Amino acid sequence: MGIVAKQSGWIMLSGYVGTLLGALNAFLLFPMTFPDDPGFMGVVRWMISTAMIVGAFAHWGWPQAMVTWLPKIPQGSHRYLLRFGRNLLSLTLLVLLLLGYWLGDEALSQLVIGHWPDAMVAVMWLLVAAYVFFELYASQLIHRQEVILPYVLKDSGRKLSISILLLLTMFGVLDFQQMIAGIVISFLLQAIWVGHRALKTLPPASQETVAVKPIVTYALTMVLTSVAAMMFGQLDILMIGAWLGMVAVAHYAIAFNFGIVVAIPMKAMNASLRPIIAKLVAEESWEELKSLGLRSLASQWMLSSFIFLMVLTIAPWMFAWLPPAYQGGESAVLWVSAAQLIHVITGPSGLVLVTSKLYRWGLFANGLMLAVAFGLGYYWIPDHGVVGASQVFFVAVLSYNALKLVALYRLSGHVWMDARFMLAFAWTLLGLAAWLAWGQAQVLPDQLWTLSTWMTMGLHWLLGLLWFAIALYGFKLAPDVNAMIRRINPLRS
């Protein structure tokens, strides 16, 4: 677990830096740059979401296939698989470019309500190209357990570039369309950086051959899985943009910035676990996988639960600081955050499914989640707004993880949960009940920059830390977290 702990720590730090940058963008820079119209923020968020969905189709699942299959083939064949994927992606992007110009800007403009920059076909194609090549080359680094660079760029680098561009726009150096061009250029530069690093770490080529057909079959299944997951991850934005408008997209994006913080420990640990799990699955080391999965689940759940309760505590204060035009998504924070917490349940074990013989169940689960989200959202979101979208998101995540638990049971004969997790789950519910009772009685002060306000917020955090400490040291619910704290404690003997 040494390399996992080290890389997870760096990725978690990057995740929190990225979250802080996202909060800076959502709560300060966008409102200051466009104080009277959140629709500009909605356009940026919608544009990136659309590029990621198209990119999930365009990369054909080849990045996921490389992470899974590279441990199973001779190192001399790694260059061949990378070259095959690069040619496939280049041809696909060319077809998409021609298709985009054939459909034109007018077709794209029918998908949204509100502002829409000119020449969006070129912008979208370049963003898609940056996304797919970034993922392709990042897969080579992930296989070699060099996961820090790609995840730091995704978590922090992209948001930092948007922060800088917003500052330049705020001071009149750029206009809105130039800011959009800057976002595209920054994403392309990051893809080039990852590609350069990946090519430097490739092993020498050899004359050994590898059967491509099973890899292509796996990749095609993964592209459908990836597309379904990506579409679900961005579908809420697209549905809100189409049915409620860009202002609602901005309100939802602010709420989502709170919720996404909950999943950072899971994403950080899974980024390091993914290549390790792929190798253990290839070796069929099921007992080692089970032990690794249960330990990781315990750590991820307790860290995420603590962040979940702290997010719910601080959200009302943060929303009170926003300009009135940007308020409107506070009630969605609970549902978005809870959905991210639910994802933790199948976090480590879900990686086993993707690399096992039951990898198609990942497609089934994502397909179910997408169907639930769209079917329920079609009837619920137009009448219930941003909060309704967050509720749809939560229900879809529940269905997704329930089906994954069924698949895990079919694969291994158990659902990868133990008594420690069930106690941790009950402890989280107790903490949520206490927060709900506290929230009903809480009244926010009129003046937020007062000593009493900060003392109240400090009391909330102290209570949260007490709750977390009892779980760690009283019930011993996350032994790996205890060990990590002991290692970084400067007062230890």
PDB file of all heavy atoms in Angstrom, residues 427-451:
ATOM      1  N   TRP A 427     -22.806   4.994  11.364  1.00  0.00           N
ATOM      2  CA  TRP A 427     -22.239   6.181  11.994  1.00  0.00           C
ATOM      3  C   TRP A 427     -22.461   7.423  11.113  1.00  0.00           C
ATOM      4  O   TRP A 427     -22.721   8.518  11.619  1.00  0.00           O
ATOM      5  CB  TRP A 427     -20.759   5.949  12.242  1.00  0.00           C
ATOM      6  CG  TRP A 427     -20.080   7.002  13.076  1.00  0.00           C
ATOM      7  CD1 TRP A 427     -19.120   7.873  12.666  1.00  0.00           C
ATOM      8  CD2 TRP A 427     -20.313   7.279  14.453  1.00  0.00           C
ATOM      9  NE1 TRP A 427     -18.728   8.689  13.696  1.00  0.00           N
ATOM     10  CE2 TRP A 427     -19.456   8.346  14.819  1.00  0.00           C
ATOM     11  CE3 TRP A 427     -21.162   6.742  15.425  1.00  0.00           C
ATOM     12  CZ2 TRP A 427     -19.419   8.882  16.094  1.00  0.00           C
ATOM     13  CZ3 TRP A 427     -21.123   7.273  16.701  1.00  0.00           C
ATOM     14  CH2 TRP A 427     -20.268   8.325  17.035  1.00  0.00           C
ATOM     15  N   THR A 428     -22.384   7.243   9.814  1.00  0.00           N
ATOM     16  CA  THR A 428     -22.635   8.350   8.892  1.00  0.00           C
ATOM     17  C   THR A 428     -24.094   8.793   8.949  1.00  0.00           C
ATOM     18  O   THR A 428     -24.391   9.996   8.940  1.00  0.00           O
ATOM     19  CB  THR A 428     -22.266   7.941   7.457  1.00  0.00           C
ATOM     20  OG1 THR A 428     -20.892   7.555   7.412  1.00  0.00           O
ATOM     21  CG2 THR A 428     -22.490   9.089   6.491  1.00  0.00           C
ATOM     22  N   LEU A 429     -25.002   7.825   8.992  1.00  0.00           N
ATOM     23  CA  LEU A 429     -26.423   8.168   9.094  1.00  0.00           C
ATOM     24  C   LEU A 429     -26.716   8.934  10.379  1.00  0.00           C
ATOM     25  O   LEU A 429     -27.522   9.881  10.392  1.00  0.00           O
ATOM     26  CB  LEU A 429     -27.283   6.904   9.030  1.00  0.00           C
ATOM     27  CG  LEU A 429     -27.326   6.168   7.684  1.00  0.00           C
ATOM     28  CD1 LEU A 429     -28.227   4.944   7.783  1.00  0.00           C
ATOM     29  CD2 LEU A 429     -27.833   7.095   6.579  1.00  0.00           C
ATOM     30  N   LEU A 430     -26.053   8.538  11.460  1.00  0.00           N
ATOM     31  CA  LEU A 430     -26.231   9.257  12.732  1.00  0.00           C
ATOM     32  C   LEU A 430     -25.731  10.693  12.604  1.00  0.00           C
ATOM     33  O   LEU A 430     -26.386  11.640  13.087  1.00  0.00           O
ATOM     34  CB  LEU A 430     -25.472   8.522  13.839  1.00  0.00           C
ATOM     35  CG  LEU A 430     -25.568   9.151  15.240  1.00  0.00           C
ATOM     36  CD1 LEU A 430     -27.014   9.173  15.722  1.00  0.00           C
ATOM     37  CD2 LEU A 430     -24.685   8.379  16.221  1.00  0.00           C
ATOM     38  N   GLY A 431     -24.587  10.872  11.963  1.00  0.00           N
ATOM     39  CA  GLY A 431     -24.063  12.218  11.754  1.00  0.00           C
ATOM     40  C   GLY A 431     -24.983  13.051  10.876  1.00  0.00           C
ATOM     41  O   GLY A 431     -25.184  14.253  11.124  1.00  0.00           O
ATOM     42  N   LEU A 432     -25.563  12.443   9.842  1.00  0.00           N
ATOM     43  CA  LEU A 432     -26.500  13.163   8.963  1.00  0.00           C
ATOM     44  C   LEU A 432     -27.753  13.575   9.720  1.00  0.00           C
ATOM     45  O   LEU A 432     -28.251  14.695   9.546  1.00  0.00           O
ATOM     46  CB  LEU A 432     -26.857  12.284   7.768  1.00  0.00           C
ATOM     47  CG  LEU A 432     -27.869  12.872   6.776  1.00  0.00           C
ATOM     48  CD1 LEU A 432     -27.363  14.184   6.175  1.00  0.00           C
ATOM     49  CD2 LEU A 432     -28.185  11.867   5.673  1.00  0.00           C
ATOM     50  N   ALA A 433     -28.257  12.681  10.559  1.00  0.00           N
ATOM     51  CA  ALA A 433     -29.450  13.018  11.351  1.00  0.00           C
ATOM     52  C   ALA A 433     -29.165  14.193  12.279  1.00  0.00           C
ATOM     53  O   ALA A 433     -29.996  15.104  12.433  1.00  0.00           O
ATOM     54  CB  ALA A 433     -29.898  11.802  12.153  1.00  0.00           C
ATOM     55  N   ALA A 434     -27.974  14.205  12.886  1.00  0.00           N
ATOM     56  CA  ALA A 434     -27.610  15.319  13.766  1.00  0.00           C
ATOM     57  C   ALA A 434     -27.501  16.615  12.970  1.00  0.00           C
ATOM     58  O   ALA A 434     -27.932  17.685  13.425  1.00  0.00           O
ATOM     59  CB  ALA A 434     -26.295  15.015  14.473  1.00  0.00           C
ATOM     60  N   TRP A 435     -26.944  16.536  11.760  1.00  0.00           N
ATOM     61  CA  TRP A 435     -26.829  17.742  10.932  1.00  0.00           C
ATOM     62  C   TRP A 435     -28.206  18.274  10.537  1.00  0.00           C
ATOM     63  O   TRP A 435     -28.445  19.481  10.553  1.00  0.00           O
ATOM     64  CB  TRP A 435     -26.020  17.445   9.681  1.00  0.00           C
ATOM     65  CG  TRP A 435     -26.002  18.626   8.738  1.00  0.00           C
ATOM     66  CD1 TRP A 435     -25.175  19.712   8.789  1.00  0.00           C
ATOM     67  CD2 TRP A 435     -26.892  18.849   7.644  1.00  0.00           C
ATOM     68  NE1 TRP A 435     -25.478  20.595   7.792  1.00  0.00           N
ATOM     69  CE2 TRP A 435     -26.533  20.100   7.061  1.00  0.00           C
ATOM     70  CE3 TRP A 435     -27.943  18.129   7.079  1.00  0.00           C
ATOM     71  CZ2 TRP A 435     -27.189  20.622   5.959  1.00  0.00           C
ATOM     72  CZ3 TRP A 435     -28.604  18.650   5.979  1.00  0.00           C
ATOM     73  CH2 TRP A 435     -28.233  19.877   5.428  1.00  0.00           C
ATOM     74  N   LEU A 436     -29.116  17.376  10.168  1.00  0.00           N
ATOM     75  CA  LEU A 436     -30.462  17.809   9.778  1.00  0.00           C
ATOM     76  C   LEU A 436     -31.170  18.489  10.947  1.00  0.00           C
ATOM     77  O   LEU A 436     -31.832  19.523  10.773  1.00  0.00           O
ATOM     78  CB  LEU A 436     -31.275  16.612   9.282  1.00  0.00           C
ATOM     79  CG  LEU A 436     -30.846  16.027   7.927  1.00  0.00           C
ATOM     80  CD1 LEU A 436     -31.599  14.733   7.642  1.00  0.00           C
ATOM     81  CD2 LEU A 436     -31.082  17.031   6.804  1.00  0.00           C
ATOM     82  N   ALA A 437     -31.025  17.920  12.150  1.00  0.00           N
ATOM     83  CA  ALA A 437     -31.649  18.535  13.319  1.00  0.00           C
ATOM     84  C   ALA A 437     -31.017  19.897  13.618  1.00  0.00           C
ATOM     85  O   ALA A 437     -31.713  20.869  13.940  1.00  0.00           O
ATOM     86  CB  ALA A 437     -31.514  17.609  14.524  1.00  0.00           C
ATOM     87  N   TRP A 438     -29.700  19.981  13.481  1.00  0.00           N
ATOM     88  CA  TRP A 438     -28.997  21.243  13.719  1.00  0.00           C
ATOM     89  C   TRP A 438     -29.409  22.278  12.673  1.00  0.00           C
ATOM     90  O   TRP A 438     -29.629  23.449  12.984  1.00  0.00           O
ATOM     91  CB  TRP A 438     -27.495  21.000  13.658  1.00  0.00           C
ATOM     92  CG  TRP A 438     -26.643  22.207  13.976  1.00  0.00           C
ATOM     93  CD1 TRP A 438     -26.464  23.321  13.206  1.00  0.00           C
ATOM     94  CD2 TRP A 438     -25.837  22.395  15.136  1.00  0.00           C
ATOM     95  NE1 TRP A 438     -25.596  24.192  13.794  1.00  0.00           N
ATOM     96  CE2 TRP A 438     -25.192  23.652  14.990  1.00  0.00           C
ATOM     97  CE3 TRP A 438     -25.582  21.635  16.266  1.00  0.00           C
ATOM     98  CZ2 TRP A 438     -24.318  24.150  15.944  1.00  0.00           C
ATOM     99  CZ3 TRP A 438     -24.719  22.133  17.214  1.00  0.00           C
ATOM    100  CH2 TRP A 438     -24.102  23.375  17.058  1.00  0.00           C
ATOM    101  N   GLY A 439     -29.530  21.838  11.417  1.00  0.00           N
ATOM    102  CA  GLY A 439     -29.870  22.770  10.348  1.00  0.00           C
ATOM    103  C   GLY A 439     -31.245  23.370  10.499  1.00  0.00           C
ATOM    104  O   GLY A 439     -31.483  24.528  10.120  1.00  0.00           O
ATOM    105  N   GLN A 440     -32.188  22.603  11.052  1.00  0.00           N
ATOM    106  CA  GLN A 440     -33.537  23.128  11.250  1.00  0.00           C
ATOM    107  C   GLN A 440     -33.536  24.278  12.254  1.00  0.00           C
ATOM    108  O   GLN A 440     -34.342  25.202  12.158  1.00  0.00           O
ATOM    109  CB  GLN A 440     -34.460  22.001  11.749  1.00  0.00           C
ATOM    110  CG  GLN A 440     -34.720  20.917  10.713  1.00  0.00           C
ATOM    111  CD  GLN A 440     -35.491  21.439   9.517  1.00  0.00           C
ATOM    112  OE1 GLN A 440     -36.336  22.316   9.642  1.00  0.00           O
ATOM    113  NE2 GLN A 440     -35.188  20.890   8.340  1.00  0.00           N
ATOM    114  N   ALA A 441     -32.630  24.206  13.230  1.00  0.00           N
ATOM    115  CA  ALA A 441     -32.602  25.238  14.276  1.00  0.00           C
ATOM    116  C   ALA A 441     -31.635  26.374  13.971  1.00  0.00           C
ATOM    117  O   ALA A 441     -31.627  27.385  14.662  1.00  0.00           O
ATOM    118  CB  ALA A 441     -32.212  24.589  15.608  1.00  0.00           C
ATOM    119  N   GLN A 442     -30.821  26.223  12.917  1.00  0.00           N
ATOM    120  CA  GLN A 442     -29.783  27.210  12.637  1.00  0.00           C
ATOM    121  C   GLN A 442     -30.355  28.414  11.896  1.00  0.00           C
ATOM    122  O   GLN A 442     -31.124  28.272  10.949  1.00  0.00           O
ATOM    123  CB  GLN A 442     -28.680  26.551  11.794  1.00  0.00           C
ATOM    124  CG  GLN A 442     -27.575  27.496  11.396  1.00  0.00           C
ATOM    125  CD  GLN A 442     -26.481  26.777  10.636  1.00  0.00           C
ATOM    126  OE1 GLN A 442     -25.537  26.292  11.224  1.00  0.00           O
ATOM    127  NE2 GLN A 442     -26.605  26.709   9.326  1.00  0.00           N
ATOM    128  N   VAL A 443     -29.953  29.605  12.326  1.00  0.00           N
ATOM    129  CA  VAL A 443     -30.327  30.851  11.661  1.00  0.00           C
ATOM    130  C   VAL A 443     -29.044  31.584  11.296  1.00  0.00           C
ATOM    131  O   VAL A 443     -28.234  31.899  12.170  1.00  0.00           O
ATOM    132  CB  VAL A 443     -31.214  31.735  12.566  1.00  0.00           C
ATOM    133  CG1 VAL A 443     -31.532  33.050  11.858  1.00  0.00           C
ATOM    134  CG2 VAL A 443     -32.479  30.997  12.955  1.00  0.00           C
ATOM    135  N   LEU A 444     -28.847  31.846  10.018  1.00  0.00           N
ATOM    136  CA  LEU A 444     -27.643  32.538   9.597  1.00  0.00           C
ATOM    137  C   LEU A 444     -27.715  34.004   9.996  1.00  0.00           C
ATOM    138  O   LEU A 444     -28.758  34.649   9.841  1.00  0.00           O
ATOM    139  CB  LEU A 444     -27.478  32.439   8.073  1.00  0.00           C
ATOM    140  CG  LEU A 444     -27.206  31.041   7.511  1.00  0.00           C
ATOM    141  CD1 LEU A 444     -27.068  31.113   6.001  1.00  0.00           C
ATOM    142  CD2 LEU A 444     -25.959  30.435   8.116  1.00  0.00           C
ATOM    143  N   PRO A 445     -26.623  34.566  10.497  1.00  0.00           N
ATOM    144  CA  PRO A 445     -26.629  35.977  10.905  1.00  0.00           C
ATOM    145  C   PRO A 445     -26.654  36.899   9.694  1.00  0.00           C
ATOM    146  O   PRO A 445     -26.267  36.517   8.591  1.00  0.00           O
ATOM    147  CB  PRO A 445     -25.314  36.116  11.673  1.00  0.00           C
ATOM    148  CG  PRO A 445     -24.435  35.047  11.108  1.00  0.00           C
ATOM    149  CD  PRO A 445     -25.336  33.904  10.765  1.00  0.00           C
ATOM    150  N   ASP A 446     -27.124  38.122   9.911  1.00  0.00           N
ATOM    151  CA  ASP A 446     -27.165  39.106   8.830  1.00  0.00           C
ATOM    152  C   ASP A 446     -25.771  39.543   8.422  1.00  0.00           C
ATOM    153  O   ASP A 446     -25.492  39.790   7.257  1.00  0.00           O
ATOM    154  CB  ASP A 446     -27.994  40.327   9.263  1.00  0.00           C
ATOM    155  CG  ASP A 446     -29.455  39.974   9.500  1.00  0.00           C
ATOM    156  OD1 ASP A 446     -29.930  39.025   8.840  1.00  0.00           O
ATOM    157  OD2 ASP A 446     -30.101  40.639  10.323  1.00  0.00           O
ATOM    158  N   GLN A 447     -24.868  39.665   9.387  1.00  0.00           N
ATOM    159  CA  GLN A 447     -23.508  40.086   9.115  1.00  0.00           C
ATOM    160  C   GLN A 447     -22.588  38.858   9.147  1.00  0.00           C
ATOM    161  O   GLN A 447     -22.417  38.236  10.185  1.00  0.00           O
ATOM    162  CB  GLN A 447     -23.046  41.119  10.154  1.00  0.00           C
ATOM    163  CG  GLN A 447     -23.865  42.396  10.162  1.00  0.00           C
ATOM    164  CD  GLN A 447     -23.730  43.165   8.864  1.00  0.00           C
ATOM    165  OE1 GLN A 447     -22.652  43.188   8.267  1.00  0.00           O
ATOM    166  NE2 GLN A 447     -24.813  43.799   8.429  1.00  0.00           N
ATOM    167  N   LEU A 448     -22.029  38.503   7.981  1.00  0.00           N
ATOM    168  CA  LEU A 448     -21.235  37.278   7.901  1.00  0.00           C
ATOM    169  C   LEU A 448     -19.789  37.481   8.335  1.00  0.00           C
ATOM    170  O   LEU A 448     -19.107  36.541   8.688  1.00  0.00           O
ATOM    171  CB  LEU A 448     -21.279  36.738   6.468  1.00  0.00           C
ATOM    172  CG  LEU A 448     -22.674  36.322   5.979  1.00  0.00           C
ATOM    173  CD1 LEU A 448     -22.613  35.894   4.536  1.00  0.00           C
ATOM    174  CD2 LEU A 448     -23.230  35.203   6.838  1.00  0.00           C
ATOM    175  N   TRP A 449     -19.287  38.722   8.293  1.00  0.00           N
ATOM    176  CA  TRP A 449     -17.893  38.967   8.650  1.00  0.00           C
ATOM    177  C   TRP A 449     -17.781  39.451  10.080  1.00  0.00           C
ATOM    178  O   TRP A 449     -17.167  40.474  10.373  1.00  0.00           O
ATOM    179  CB  TRP A 449     -17.281  39.981   7.687  1.00  0.00           C
ATOM    180  CG  TRP A 449     -17.203  39.478   6.287  1.00  0.00           C
ATOM    181  CD1 TRP A 449     -18.042  39.774   5.266  1.00  0.00           C
ATOM    182  CD2 TRP A 449     -16.242  38.566   5.765  1.00  0.00           C
ATOM    183  NE1 TRP A 449     -17.668  39.111   4.124  1.00  0.00           N
ATOM    184  CE2 TRP A 449     -16.566  38.349   4.404  1.00  0.00           C
ATOM    185  CE3 TRP A 449     -15.136  37.890   6.313  1.00  0.00           C
ATOM    186  CZ2 TRP A 449     -15.822  37.507   3.588  1.00  0.00           C
ATOM    187  CZ3 TRP A 449     -14.410  37.049   5.491  1.00  0.00           C
ATOM    188  CH2 TRP A 449     -14.740  36.868   4.152  1.00  0.00           C
ATOM    189  N   THR A 450     -18.368  38.714  11.000  1.00  0.00           N
ATOM    190  CA  THR A 450     -18.305  39.074  12.415  1.00  0.00           C
ATOM    191  C   THR A 450     -17.633  37.953  13.187  1.00  0.00           C
ATOM    192  O   THR A 450     -17.569  36.797  12.738  1.00  0.00           O
ATOM    193  CB  THR A 450     -19.709  39.314  12.989  1.00  0.00           C
ATOM    194  OG1 THR A 450     -20.455  38.095  12.920  1.00  0.00           O
ATOM    195  CG2 THR A 450     -20.436  40.406  12.214  1.00  0.00           C
ATOM    196  N   LEU A 451     -17.152  38.274  14.376  1.00  0.00           N
ATOM    197  CA  LEU A 451     -16.483  37.281  15.223  1.00  0.00           C
ATOM    198  C   LEU A 451     -17.436  36.150  15.593  1.00  0.00           C
ATOM    199  O   LEU A 451     -17.053  34.970  15.592  1.00  0.00           O
ATOM    200  CB  LEU A 451     -15.934  37.963  16.478  1.00  0.00           C
ATOM    201  CG  LEU A 451     -15.230  37.044  17.480  1.00  0.00           C
ATOM    202  CD1 LEU A 451     -14.022  36.366  16.843  1.00  0.00           C
ATOM    203  CD2 LEU A 451     -14.818  37.833  18.729  1.00  0.00           C
TER     204      LEU A 451
END
